[in-house]
Structure formats: C-alpha cells, structure tokens
Amino acid sequence: MVKNDERKIIVSSVWISDLPKYVGQEVTVKGWVHRLRKVSNRLVFILFKDRSGLVQGVVSGRPDWLAEVVTEAAVEVVAQVTATEQQASGVELQVREIRVVGLVLKELPFELNQEEISAGLELQLDHRVLTLRHPKTQSIFKVQDEIVHAFRTFMRRASFTEIYTPKIVASGTEGGSELFEIKYFESKAYLAQSPQFYKQMVMGGGLQRVYEVGYAYRAEQSNTSRHLSEFLSLDIEMGFIQGLEDVLQVQEELLRFLMVHLQEHCAAELALFNVTLPTVGHIPRLRLKEIAAILQKEYGKELAELDLDSEGERLIGEYVKKKYDSDFLFATHYGRANRAMYTQPSPDDPETSESFDLIYKGMEMNSGAQRVHELTVLEDNIRYKGLDPAGFAHYLEIFSYGMPPHGGFAIGAARLTLKILGLDNIREAVLFPRDRYRTSP
Amino acid sequence: MVKNDERKIIVSSVWISDLPKYVGQEVTVKGWVHRLRKVSNRLVFILFKDRSGLVQGVVSGRPDWLAEVVTEAAVEVVAQVTATEQQASGVELQVREIRVVGLVLKELPFELNQEEISAGLELQLDHRVLTLRHPKTQSIFKVQDEIVHAFRTFMRRASFTEIYTPKIVASGTEGGSELFEIKYFESKAYLAQSPQFYKQMVMGGGLQRVYEVGYAYRAEQSNTSRHLSEFLSLDIEMGFIQGLEDVLQVQEELLRFLMVHLQEHCAAELALFNVTLPTVGHIPRLRLKEIAAILQKEYGKELAELDLDSEGERLIGEYVKKKYDSDFLFATHYGRANRAMYTQPSPDDPETSESFDLIYKGMEMNSGAQRVHELTVLEDNIRYKGLDPAGFAHYLEIFSYGMPPHGGFAIGAARLTLKILGLDNIREAVLFPRDRYRTSP
C-alpha cells in the first residue's frame, strides 16, 4: 500500500511560483492576463497571473492568436522558461502560444492591474469576485486561509478534536437580543450567536479538548467598520485545566505558532501590506484592578467598573509597550458583573471573574475565560444575571454528570486578519460580507 | 527563531493511549470513570476513559477518597503504570490517588458502559452529550474529524485554497423550494442550500482551485433516515480543467488518500464497527446510456430517463462488483434534463451532460460535474430550466471576465461517515442533528 506521504497529487500544469525550477524547459502556465504592453509591432510584453504569483511573458512577432488576448482573459500559455536578471523572480516566459479559454465580453467596472483598486469599498464589494483578480485583494484571503490552517494545525497537535455544532438553535445563548429569527417549518428557530454552550457540552461529553471553525451570527443594528451579521469564529474549549493560566498559555503558544507559520508561508503577501509581524514573547498578565491603579496613576483615568473601554485599552497598551516592550497584554480578572454567566467567579475575590481579554496594540483582539463547572455555582450565576436556569436545561444537563474544570476562548477570523494586515474595515477581510444592508452578492 | 516543527505543544497530563511508553513511572491521567468492579473489600477494579482510550486501574486497600468515585465522575488519577499481559493494551494502573474534579449528581438516563447504549435513537439524541461518553458513539465523531481532516490535507496538497462563503443569501441557488427564510432586519433573506455559485465565482475570481467545508441548509418536508435540515458539505471547484475526466481523477485520488488516512489513524475506531475499508483501485466509468443497455440486458430493467433510481444504483453496483470487482463506480453523462443548469451539456451529445454520480456499494455517495463556463451557453441552460437569467446577475458577472473551464463536486460529511461506518441513520453521524421536528439540544 502506498503511504499518503509518498503519494503524488495531481498537478496538470506549472504554478508561476514554481517557474524558477523549470529554466530551459517548455511549460504550460494557466491563469489570466494581468497587463499588456505593446513595445512595438513585433514585441509585446504580457504579465500573467495565477493563484501563486505573476510572471512576465515576451511575445515576439505578430502571431494570429494575439488579437483575442486581452486583460483578464483566462489563458493557457505554452512557453519556454528563461532566466533573466530584469525580473525579481529571476525568470520570464518566451511565449510560443496562448490559448484563450475564457473570453472577456465586457468593460471592467474598475481597473484591476494598478497598485490599488481605484474604487470605494462598497463598489468593490458589489463586484467582489472581480476584486479577487487583484493580487493584493486576493492576498487577504490567502493569508486568512493560512491563519485558519495554522489554528487548526496547532489545535490538532495539542490533541484537540474538531467539531461541528449547529447554527440553527431553539433559543439564544445569552438572552434574546440580536438574534436572527428563522421560519422553521411550522415553528421558529434562530441563528446561533456563538458555539459557546455546545463546545462546553461536547468537551464535557468526553471529547475533552475541542475546537470549531464556524460561523456565528449577530443581528447588529450598528453598521460600523467593525460590525458583521455573519462572522467566522475560531473557538476552543479545554477540559481538566488547573485554572485560567492554562488557557492563557494555550493562547500564547497559539499566537507564537501562528506568527511563525505566517512568516514561513505568507512572506510575499505580508510584504504587499508592508507588515512586519510582531514577536510573541512572554505576554504580560495584568489584573483589571492593577490596570485600574496604573491608569489612575499614569494617565489620571478612573475606571467606573472592572472593565475597559477603548481609551482604557489604548492607554494600557501604550503602558505595556513602554514598560515591557510587548505588543500584547492579557488583561485578566474582569468584573463578574461584566462577564457572561458561564464565567468562573474568582475564588479569592467574588467581585472579579477568571476571565481575560487579549489586547493587541491597544485594542481588544479576543476574549476567553475559565468557565463555571459546578452546577450550583452556574445556577447562581444565571440567576445573578436575572435569568432563569430552567431556560437552560439542555446546556445544564452535562453539569450533573462529571463536568471537569475547563476554559477556552474565541477569536474572530476576520478580526485577526484585519489586525495582522492592518486593514481599515472588517468587510475587507470577508469574501462576501453580510451586514445591516448587504446580503449580496 | 524556533520553527513550528520543533515547537513543543502543551500537554499537561498523559493520554491513556500513550501509557505503554510510561511503564514503571508515576503519571497523572485525566478522564472519567467508565466502570467500577468491587472484587473484595480491599480490591476494586476501575476502568478509566479519556478521549484517547480506556485503561484498567487497580485500587488496593480502602482509601477515603474511594467513596466519591462513581461511574461517570470526572477524575484525575495519580498512578504507577505497570505492564500486564491481562490487558490488550499491555498496561494497567496501580492507583495511588483519585481526585474527583467533576461530581455526578443524578442517575443516568441510560447505561453508558455496556457494549451498546440500550436506548432508541430519539432518546439518545435528547441526551446526545451523554452518549458521547460511550466509546463507540464518540468514535463516530473522531472518524468524522479524520475524514474532514484528510479531505483538507489532500486539497491543500493539490494547491486548493480553503474559502468561507456566506450562508445568509438573498435568494436560492436553483429556484425557491426548500429554502429556510430568515427575518433579516426590515427585509428577508435565506439560508444557503449549497455553496455552488460562490465556489464557482471565487474559483473564477482568481483563486483557481478552492474548497469549502461548510453547512448547507434544506427545508426538507420529509423526515426519513436520510434527511437533515443542516448538513456539512465538503465542496471543491477546480479551474482550467480539460474536461470531466480531470474531476473524476481528483475524486478518485481523494478517495484513495482518504482510505489510507483512515487506515493509518482510525484503526481502533473502525474495529469497533467491524469495518474493513474498501480498496480504491481504478474506478470504472460507465455512461448512463451504457448503464441503460446493461440494466436492460442483464436485469430486464428499462430506464425511463437518463437517470438512476435507487434500484438502478443497486443493480449497476452489483454488476460492477461482479464484472470489475470494484465497490465504486462513476456513473457519468446523466441526462441534461436531469441535472442543474450549471452542468455542462455534452459537446458530442446534447441530450446528456458532463456529470457524474459516485456509486458506492450500490448507493449514490455524491455528485459532481464539469460546469458551464461560456456565458451564452449558461444563459441558454437557465432558460432551458424555465428560469430567467436576470435573476442570476451576481452569479453571472464573472462569466463575462475570463471564466475558465471548470468542474467540481460536493460530498456530505455525515453521509460519507455513515457509509464508511455502516450506520443506519444519518442522525447518528451528526453531533446535534436538525430535522423537521428537532432543533435541540
């Protein structure tokens, strides 16, 4: 039996990024025409693109097939690969033939071969598919693919199982606001706001360490540069922890793994955005009460609650950068009142909870916590939030049957992509964003 | 900089499956009590379970902590690992201490430590989370995790990019039936029935080879053992193909890769279901017209259309097994009338289409096809189906801008799991199934 590691996977043509290996050989490249430059009647330069990169082709003479070759046509290029010092890649193509396999029938709504697309974001999103032909826009989704792939790779190596929990649910996770209602046969249902309950349940059900990459839904009335109706959430839940510190360590190691992975696999894409990835050393941990004291002493800012507003995040981010030279901070022990009912109250301070936010460059990146695992504490917490435990029967069941201490976190894939690439609007990091006013394309 | 391959990932305890490496050492095992057997007042055998397997522990004497140790309690076990020939694993635990970290507060609704769970499927699904504590039920989801992981691994190696397309859509893919309607702010929207249009669009947008693992939704009136409202779909779309044969080759290689992967990673789980995986050799290809002739000649069965009913699938499966000793068959070239409007009509026979079904042991496993890539042909096909091209403007846009020949397929993750493990009901292969009558837990 042939092992999978030794198995050859189908590749029927040569990717542009692999061309340097084929100098002196004839190859077929499949992709699109990015730019055409007619130098003379007998010399045309054509820049080709495929999913892996760009390469310059040289067409000499006046072959018949040249007439059909226009910008954005889908083409199969038969060519000789030659070495050249004129190109960064070190190679160019001496074109022998171009077969047009996908015609261009219309004018483009905007140019796709300039350094940036000259159109507002809304117009770009109306023609989202076309924008993917632009190397920079396409790079966003390659980087996102690698971010999610790195997340999965790390989690699998740490013995987590990937799960798929339902997005059609009978009721909301935490009260009823911001839920999308579905007409479900004769009845109604809702789109899940988070896999929180399910990931805890399945962890406690015996899978022990679980992760999920799935959509979550929020009927956000606001339509700002940060809000989406549908977003991809990277979720984990880990059982048998000693406390919050175990969760922080997993997140810290994940970040370290992620940055190394992106450096190894996305150098070209990161360069298009002038991104230098942050180093993830030991991430400082500061409790909200410590942060409150620092903000008061250093910046004269008073916190009304054990919670941070965006100014607070910015200032403490500044402080941590100055004091510890770290772009990251774990702000821990938010007020019990400021966190969801499944968050573990602190054993040494009932006013606070075993929770954290990861702050990156002065802005919240994601949240996490140790969860409550004792049924009576959880029921108390539900009542403390003004809710009725009877409404959570399906969630609560497993807490009567050997629920271990556990914790986890959730990261928005688009938000992480946006922070890493330094984008302005969350919609730039979603293929087909859904918001207050947009459900198409 | 430490490379990711050399990076150590957090593991704070020893998995049961790794215990043979720790003979003679003291370890901490974290998991649940599966079964207790009191041999005498001073000797108790306890079977422990974690996500990786089962191990027997021996408790000698009458330690204080033993009283709290009951079936399904979450425990941390400190023990010496000893070699034994009595256990298949070759090891057992001499228990020094058990710390109960998750109490059992109630009677179980059914036993979880017998060979099978003695409860009907509906009752099991009402307590789905508890059923995951049963090693056999848990195995289904480990196998499914590995199926999806193998799919992803194969696709990445074949240079496919993973994409995430929206599940909230403005209209249906192929007409309006079986759509779930969402109240979307002041307007309405629907749950996507398939990522078909989006995967074609993004492929043509320049990503060239894409795959998606995501939910699809069908408002199925039927409530049989095969129907789900929400199902996980493994989708691919590949550009610049020469024809249908390229798609068949990718599917064939994927199947081969998958079976080898499962053999390597799920031997124990497959054994619980007495499964011997099929060998994937060269899969025979038969056109529907050839199949029609065979069915008539060999079984006296007439096909009314260029399509197969379940009897036809069973009979041709039988024939292929007898004639070619293959569990698999690619039935190709279904009637143009029997396939969706995005399916390429056959150039040599306008009555048929460049489509296929993969038949496994006489039942359809999944479908695929070469798609239409020429705008005028696609518009004709839309009209041929009695639909109006104007209703598909967002989908059609990219077909004016260099759309290459392409094709792909979709596989239901639960259906694949069901076929591989020989389960009876599709709901067994879904953590929290959604159907006509079920939206919880």
Side-chain angles (χ1 to χ4, degrees):
Chain A
M1 194 168 68
V2 183
K3 289 197 174 164
N4 274 340
D5 287 346
E6 298 154 9
R7 204 170 278 286
K8 210 171 144 264
I9 305 276
I10 300 162
V11 183
S12 56
S13 56
V14 173
W15 298 117
I16 286 173
S17 60
D18 288 335
L19 285 174
K21 293 183 224 158
Y22 293 84
V23 170
Q25 294 180 47
E26 186 172 285
V27 296
T28 301
V29 165
K30 299 176 177 182
W32 289 270
V33 174
H34 190 55
R35 202 178 289 148
L36 272 146
R37 189 156 60 90
K38 196 171 166 180
V39 179
S40 74
N41 268 340
R42 304 189 61 80
L43 181 63
V44 179
F45 288 133
I46 305 181
L47 199 57
F48 299 105
K49 59 187 166 191
D50 71 7
R51 60 176 286 287
S52 76
L54 294 160
V55 66
Q56 175 165 279
V58 184
V59 181
S60 310
R62 297 177 66 177
D64 294 341
W65 42 257
L66 197 58
E68 270 197 331
V69 178
V70 298
T71 309
E72 298 309 328
V75 291
E76 297 183 354
V77 184
V78 182
Q80 188 85 7
V81 185
T82 52
T84 174
E85 285 176 6
Q86 317 264 248
Q87 300 291 326
S89 67
V91 290
E92 64 182 13
L93 296 175
Q94 307 303 322
V95 178
R96 211 166 57 93
E97 192 193 344
I98 299 177
R99 293 188 292 266
V100 175
V101 296
L103 295 168
V104 173
L105 310 171
K106 270 194 213 163
E107 283 286 308
L108 286 163
F110 36 67
E111 291 298 312
L112 291 171
N113 57 13
Q114 306 304 310
E115 202 167 323
E116 306 279 342
I117 298 175
S118 300
L121 182 58
E122 288 302 313
L123 183 62
Q124 288 194 44
L125 292 178
D126 289 341
H127 303 276
R128 169 53 105 183
V129 180
L130 285 176
T131 68
L132 296 176
R133 290 274 179 83
H134 193 279
K136 198 169 168 183
T137 307
Q138 190 174 122
S139 290
I140 296 172
F141 299 98
K142 287 187 198 159
V143 171
Q144 188 162 87
D145 176 39
E146 290 297 340
I147 287 173
V148 181
H149 179 57
F151 172 73
R152 285 203 175 94
T153 305
F154 178 86
M155 286 301 149
R156 294 190 81 79
R157 288 208 205 161
S159 304
F160 284 68
T161 301
E162 186 159 3
I163 58 170
Y164 303 89
T165 70
K167 305 311 161 198
I168 294 178
V169 295
S171 58
T173 317
E174 296 156 58
S177 73
E178 300 185 345
L179 279 170
F180 285 113
E181 187 182 306
I182 307 164
K183 212 171 130 188
Y184 197 79
F185 302 105
E186 294 73 30
S187 176
K188 56 188 179 182
Y190 303 91
L191 287 177
Q193 289 176 299
S194 117
Q196 181 62 37
F197 289 175
Y198 288 106
K199 64 179 178 164
Q200 289 183 258
M201 289 154 75
V202 175
M203 179 287 301
L207 284 172
Q208 216 155 342
R209 294 182 174 192
V210 298
Y211 69 99
E212 179 163 13
V213 176
Y215 279 128
Y217 297 90
R218 302 273 161 90
E220 300 272 14
Q221 292 294 333
S222 321
N223 200 46
T224 74
S225 61
R226 299 179 48 180
H227 288 98
L228 290 170
S229 297
E230 177 178 67
F231 65 97
L232 195 68
S233 181
L234 312 180
D235 266 276
I236 82 145
E237 203 67 32
M238 178 168 60
F240 297 93
I241 60 173
Q242 301 303 310
L244 179 62
E245 179 58 28
D246 283 356
V247 182
L248 299 183
Q249 277 181 32
V250 171
Q251 165 118 47
E252 187 174 305
E253 285 204 34
L254 168 65
L255 280 176
R256 214 168 277 144
F257 187 92
L258 173 65
M259 295 307 165
V260 173
H261 182 91
L262 293 180
Q263 198 62 61
E264 287 174 355
H265 294 91
C266 297
E269 289 78 13
L270 294 169
L272 284 178
F273 289 86
N274 295 313
V275 168
T276 309
L277 292 170
T279 308
V280 186
H282 172 77
I283 298 178
R285 281 95 162 132
L286 289 174
R287 288 175 178 239
L288 252 286
K289 286 188 175 176
E290 298 172 86
I291 292 172
I294 292 165
L295 291 182
Q296 190 188 43
K297 181 157 174 266
E298 303 282 328
Y299 304 93
K301 181 181 167 71
E302 297 283 345
L303 292 188
E305 300 176 281
L306 288 174
D307 199 6
L308 288 173
D309 55 15
S310 55
E311 189 195 43
E313 289 170 353
R314 187 172 54 74
L315 294 173
I316 195 68
E318 213 173 86
Y319 175 85
V320 165
K321 181 71 186 172
K322 204 169 57 192
K323 173 118 188 205
Y324 303 104
D325 192 28
S326 173
D327 288 324
F328 296 94
L329 164 70
F330 283 128
T332 69
H333 296 86
Y334 282 73
R336 182 185 173 200
N338 304 91
R339 289 298 176 121
M341 54 80 169
Y342 45 77
T343 312
Q344 178 76 42
S346 301
D348 55 351
D349 181 354
E351 201 189 349
T352 70
S353 64
E354 298 296 299
S355 55
F356 74 93
D357 270 16
L358 175 67
I359 313 279
Y360 174 56
K361 293 188 176 168
M363 280 188 285
E364 186 220 326
M365 179 108 108
N366 69 278
S367 299
Q370 178 172 355
R371 325 296 187 185
V372 183
H373 68 283
E374 291 168 289
L375 181 63
T376 50
V377 178
L378 186 51
E379 287 173 337
D380 279 355
N381 250 14
I382 291 172
R383 280 187 287 261
Y384 172 79
K385 293 286 176 186
L387 299 165
D388 180 1
F392 298 89
H394 286 297
Y395 171 53
L396 295 179
E397 182 177 53
I398 192 64
F399 290 81
S400 292
Y401 299 103
M403 189 66 155
H406 62 285
F409 54 80
I411 310 174
R415 186 189 286 202
L416 186 54
T417 309
L418 169 132
K419 300 252 177 220
I420 286 172
L421 294 180
L423 308 176
D424 293 322
N425 191 310
I426 193 89
R427 290 163 185 76
E428 294 177 66
V430 180
L431 271 177
F432 300 97
R434 296 297 180 246
D435 63 32
R436 188 81 175 77
Y437 304 108
R438 183 180 284 282
T439 53
S440 69
Chain B
M1 193 170 67
V2 184
K3 289 198 174 163
N4 275 340
D5 286 346
E6 299 154 8
R7 205 169 278 285
K8 211 173 144 266
I9 305 277
I10 298 162
V11 182
S12 57
S13 56
V14 173
W15 297 117
I16 287 174
S17 60
D18 288 336
L19 286 173
K21 291 184 224 156
Y22 293 85
V23 171
Q25 295 180 45
E26 187 171 284
V27 297
T28 300
V29 166
K30 299 177 178 181
W32 290 269
V33 174
H34 190 55
R35 201 179 290 149
L36 271 146
R37 189 157 59 90
K38 197 171 163 181
V39 178
S40 74
N41 269 339
R42 303 189 62 80
L43 182 63
V44 179
F45 288 132
I46 304 180
L47 199 57
F48 298 105
K49 59 187 167 191
D50 71 7
R51 59 176 287 287
S52 77
L54 293 159
V55 66
Q56 175 165 277
V58 183
V59 181
S60 311
R62 296 176 65 177
D64 294 343
W65 43 255
L66 197 57
E68 269 196 332
V69 178
V70 298
T71 309
E72 299 308 328
V75 292
E76 296 183 355
V77 184
V78 183
Q80 187 85 8
V81 186
T82 54
T84 174
E85 285 176 6
Q86 317 265 248
Q87 300 291 328
S89 67
V91 292
E92 63 181 13
L93 297 175
Q94 307 303 321
V95 178
R96 213 166 55 92
E97 193 193 342
I98 299 176
R99 293 188 292 266
V100 174
V101 297
L103 295 169
V104 173
L105 309 171
K106 267 195 216 164
E107 284 286 308
L108 287 163
F110 36 68
E111 292 297 313
L112 290 171
N113 56 14
Q114 306 304 310
E115 202 166 321
E116 304 280 342
I117 298 175
S118 298
L121 183 58
E122 287 302 314
L123 182 63
Q124 289 194 44
L125 292 178
D126 288 341
H127 303 277
R128 169 52 106 186
V129 180
L130 286 175
T131 69
L132 296 176
R133 289 273 180 83
H134 192 280
K136 199 169 165 181
T137 308
Q138 191 175 120
S139 291
I140 297 171
F141 299 98
K142 287 187 200 158
V143 170
Q144 188 162 87
D145 176 39
E146 290 297 339
I147 288 173
V148 181
H149 178 57
F151 172 74
R152 285 203 175 92
T153 306
F154 179 87
M155 286 303 150
R156 294 189 83 76
R157 288 208 206 157
S159 304
F160 284 68
T161 301
E162 188 160 2
I163 57 170
Y164 302 90
T165 69
K167 305 310 161 197
I168 295 178
V169 295
S171 59
T173 316
E174 296 155 58
S177 72
E178 301 185 342
L179 279 170
F180 285 113
E181 186 182 308
I182 307 164
K183 213 173 128 186
Y184 198 79
F185 302 106
E186 295 75 28
S187 177
K188 56 190 180 181
Y190 303 91
L191 287 176
Q193 290 177 297
S194 122
Q196 181 62 38
F197 289 175
Y198 289 107
K199 64 178 180 167
Q200 289 183 260
M201 288 153 75
V202 174
M203 178 287 302
L207 284 172
Q208 214 153 343
R209 294 182 176 194
V210 298
Y211 69 99
E212 178 163 15
V213 176
Y215 279 128
Y217 297 91
R218 301 274 161 90
E220 299 273 13
Q221 293 294 334
S222 321
N223 200 47
T224 74
S225 62
R226 299 179 49 180
H227 287 98
L228 290 169
S229 297
E230 177 178 67
F231 65 96
L232 195 68
S233 182
L234 313 180
D235 267 274
I236 83 148
E237 203 67 33
M238 177 168 61
F240 296 93
I241 61 173
Q242 301 304 311
L244 179 61
E245 180 57 28
D246 283 357
V247 182
L248 299 184
Q249 277 182 32
V250 171
Q251 165 118 45
E252 186 175 306
E253 285 204 33
L254 168 64
L255 280 177
R256 215 169 277 146
F257 187 92
L258 173 65
M259 296 306 165
V260 173
H261 182 92
L262 293 181
Q263 198 63 61
E264 288 174 355
H265 294 90
C266 297
E269 289 77 13
L270 294 170
L272 284 179
F273 290 86
N274 295 312
V275 168
T276 309
L277 293 170
T279 309
V280 186
H282 173 76
I283 299 178
R285 282 96 161 129
L286 289 174
R287 289 175 176 238
L288 252 286
K289 287 188 174 175
E290 297 172 87
I291 291 173
I294 292 166
L295 291 182
Q296 190 188 42
K297 180 156 174 269
E298 303 282 326
Y299 304 93
K301 183 182 167 75
E302 297 283 345
L303 292 187
E305 301 175 280
L306 287 175
D307 200 6
L308 288 173
D309 56 16
S310 53
E311 189 195 44
E313 288 170 354
R314 186 171 56 73
L315 294 174
I316 195 67
E318 213 172 86
Y319 175 85
V320 165
K321 181 70 185 171
K322 205 168 55 188
K323 172 119 190 205
Y324 303 104
D325 192 29
S326 173
D327 288 324
F328 296 94
L329 165 69
F330 284 128
T332 68
H333 297 85
Y334 283 72
R336 182 184 173 203
N338 304 92
R339 290 298 176 122
M341 55 78 169
Y342 45 77
T343 311
Q344 178 77 42
S346 301
D348 53 353
D349 181 353
E351 201 189 349
T352 69
S353 64
E354 298 297 298
S355 54
F356 74 94
D357 270 17
L358 175 66
I359 312 279
Y360 174 55
K361 292 187 176 170
M363 281 188 283
E364 186 220 326
M365 179 109 109
N366 69 278
S367 299
Q370 176 172 356
R371 327 295 187 184
V372 184
H373 69 282
E374 290 168 289
L375 181 63
T376 50
V377 179
L378 186 51
E379 287 172 337
D380 278 354
N381 251 13
I382 292 172
R383 280 186 286 260
Y384 172 77
K385 294 284 176 185
L387 299 164
D388 181 1
F392 298 88
H394 287 297
Y395 170 53
L396 295 178
E397 182 178 54
I398 191 65
F399 290 82
S400 292
Y401 298 103
M403 189 65 155
H406 62 286
F409 55 81
I411 310 175
R415 186 188 284 202
L416 186 55
T417 309
L418 169 131
K419 300 252 178 221
I420 286 173
L421 293 180
L423 308 175
D424 293 322
N425 191 310
I426 192 91
R427 290 162 186 77
E428 296 177 63
V430 180
L431 272 177
F432 299 97
R434 295 297 182 245
D435 63 33
R436 190 81 175 75
Y437 305 107
R438 183 180 285 282
T439 52
S440 69

